Amino acid sequence: MPMQKKLLQLITLETARIFKCKVSELPQKLLAMPKLTENFYLDNTGINFVYSEYEIASKGAGAIKVLVPYTAFSVKIKSAVPDKGR
């Protein structure tokens, strides 16, 4: 499966978890289904995708942050920070 498709699938699953519903129920809960966004950041747990108000949900939901943990990827991601012990 291409990486973009897998990533979008993971974002969709996590969005359903955030909204406490099944993936099939998301169209009724959201203004738009999540898409890959350039608004993301990395932290020590994974990739955080941030959707602004009205991007995928109503203003009442506020900004929505969707975390895709590194453990969800089958590929090994190396740290850009060198080990201090080396």
Side-chain angles (χ1 to χ4, degrees), residues 35-85:
K35 295 182 171 58
L36 289 179
T37 178
E38 293 180 4
N39 191 14
F40 68 92
Y41 64 93
L42 308 175
D43 66 13
N44 61 343
T45 58
I47 305 170
N48 294 274
F49 293 90
V50 182
Y51 298 92
S52 60
E53 295 174 346
Y54 295 116
E55 193 170 355
I56 63 171
S58 67
K59 183 178 180 178
I64 298 171
K65 182 180 83 169
V66 178
L67 169 67
V68 177
Y70 295 127
T71 56
F73 297 97
S74 60
V75 294
K76 194 85 163 158
I77 300 174
K78 292 185 179 183
S79 174
V81 179
D83 290 336
K84 292 182 180 182

Side-chain angles (χ1 to χ4, degrees), residues 10-27:
L10 293 169
I11 290 169
T12 302
L13 288 170
E14 181 61 14
T15 303
R17 189 193 66 74
I18 291 168
F19 282 90
K20 298 179 176 134
C21 69
K22 297 177 182 176
V23 170
S24 61
E25 298 169 339
L26 280 175

